Amino acid sequence: MALNNGYDARLVQQETAVGAGAQVLLLALIGTAIGMGPAGWLTGLAFAIATWAVLSRALHRSRPRSFGPANRVTLGRAVLVGGVTALVADSFQDSPPVSLFVGLTAVALILDGVDGKVARRTGTSTALGARFDMEVDAFLILVLSVYVSMTMGLWVLLIGGMRYVFVAAARVWPWLTAPLPPSTARKTVAALQGVLLLTAGAALLPHAVNVGVVVLALGLLVWSFGRDVLWLWRTSRVARVPAAHEVRELVAG
């Protein structure tokens, strides 16, 4: 692979370092506001370090000309997700203020629709940016499912863990790694997961209604993943049939 001559490692490192610094600042503000305990601090700092390390490595491999405005928006979302993660970790000891939890999560969810638009309008869409956006989304859903599971049971973790189970399964069955066709339904279901989990996590509705909301989220996610897995399986079978036919012809020849 040819190296991108416009790649500036120092500039990229500065961008990721600013993100890590913003994460620490947010944790300090949260800690000052609510008296966050060690669990929240350690989890938030671990998230900041992991995000910085993984993103720096990915950027070094892809060698982009610049970090890009869309990635800055996604990095800002990651900082907010780190704050939510710290609050959820701290909630094992003390419940976080609902307004702070809802506020941070809501802004992170709203910004989810911004980075993609910024990338398209500025012509800076990249595979790395799309992957970064997807990973931030997936981790936020995992964190929210952990939070909601504290009051509804471990079954809620199926929502946050489904994507990671899919990734693990793809290591066993490579046909799961094939590209999927664009789908508005898939994007809608993915966007609804955060909204529905936040609605339940805010606990502003009766418990039975919140349970129904989470069941709806899980049902939609199972349907979406099930449909995609079925499509991938059928596509892989269609691809294997011509390959097997060609092998038979070579043997016969």
Side-chain angles (χ1 to χ4, degrees), residues 10-228:
R10 185 175 59 181
L11 179 60
V12 168
Q13 289 171 357
Q14 289 175 350
E15 296 273 8
T16 54
V18 167
Q23 183 71 83
V24 174
L25 177 60
L26 178 60
L27 293 175
L29 292 174
I30 294 174
T32 302
I34 68 171
M36 191 164 59
W41 271 105
L42 291 174
T43 304
L45 290 174
F47 178 88
I49 293 171
T51 300
W52 172 80
V54 173
L55 183 57
S56 296
R57 183 178 181 184
L59 288 167
H60 182 69
R61 286 182 173 181
S62 61
R63 305 180 72 83
R65 292 184 180 275
S66 66
F67 192 66
N71 282 336
R72 292 189 185 100
V73 176
T74 307
L75 184 58
R77 280 201 308 118
V79 170
L80 295 174
V81 171
V84 175
T85 302
L87 286 174
V88 171
D90 195 59
S91 69
F92 282 92
Q93 296 179 337
D94 299 299
S95 298
V98 174
S99 58
L100 181 58
F101 171 76
V102 172
L104 288 177
T105 306
V107 174
L109 291 173
I110 291 171
L111 289 177
D112 184 28
V114 174
D115 46 12
K117 292 181 180 179
V118 171
R120 289 188 292 272
R121 289 181 179 179
T122 59
T124 55
S125 299
T126 62
L128 173 61
R131 180 66 181 273
F132 184 26
D133 177 58
M134 181 175 62
E135 295 298 340
V136 172
D137 291 342
F139 194 79
L140 177 59
I141 298 304
L142 175 62
V143 170
L144 291 177
S145 67
V146 170
Y147 182 73
V148 176
S149 71
M150 295 181 196
T151 56
M152 294 189 186
L154 295 178
W155 63 272
V156 183
L157 296 178
L158 291 171
I159 296 175
M162 198 169 300
R163 191 257 173 182
Y164 296 100
V165 170
F166 180 85
V167 172
R171 294 182 176 273
V172 180
W173 298 293
W175 51 269
L176 288 172
T177 61
L180 287 163
S183 170
T184 301
R186 185 189 309 119
K187 293 179 180 179
T188 302
V189 169
L192 282 174
Q193 296 305 304
V195 175
L196 294 174
L197 285 172
L198 177 59
T199 300
L204 299 177
L205 301 174
H207 182 73
V209 176
N210 286 330
V211 171
V213 167
V214 178
V215 169
L216 174 62
L218 179 58
L220 289 172
L221 197 60
V222 169
W223 170 80
S224 181
F225 269 96
R227 188 185 67 155
D228 286 344

